[in-house]
Amino acid sequence: MSVRAMDEKLTIAEVIANLKVAPSTFYRWRQLGKAPRSIKLPNGDVRIRRSEYERWLTEREDAA
């Protein structure tokens, strides 16, 4: 995967769709500090770097 693709910013909706979890589940993970690190934009929108999402997934795999 190219550096540009790894630096892509994902929306929460994209991450939820990829994980196939309910939005409430993902937001609870965020509250508990168990979701991937995110970036809060000045307008309040939230983005997650693809590289951070992939790292987070890898950690979950190791913990399974």
Side-chain angles (χ1 to χ4, degrees):
M1 191 173 281
S2 72
V3 173
R4 179 174 278 206
M6 290 301 286
D7 227 14
E8 176 187 11
K9 310 304 183 283
L10 303 170
T11 65
I12 288 181
E14 290 171 325
V15 172
I16 288 170
N18 185 266
L19 291 172
K20 297 181 175 101
V21 297
S24 60
T25 298
F26 187 81
Y27 286 109
R28 186 173 66 249
W29 292 347
R30 285 195 72 209
Q31 276 187 317
L32 296 172
K34 296 184 178 210
R37 290 179 29 198
S38 58
I39 303 163
K40 189 166 188 175
L41 302 175
N43 66 356
D45 287 350
V46 175
R47 298 289 183 272
I48 299 167
R49 283 186 180 92
R50 180 172 293 282
S51 58
E52 171 58 21
Y53 177 59
E54 295 294 336
R55 182 200 63 77
W56 179 82
L57 282 177
T58 300
E59 284 182 1
R60 306 286 77 72
E61 187 176 285
D62 292 344

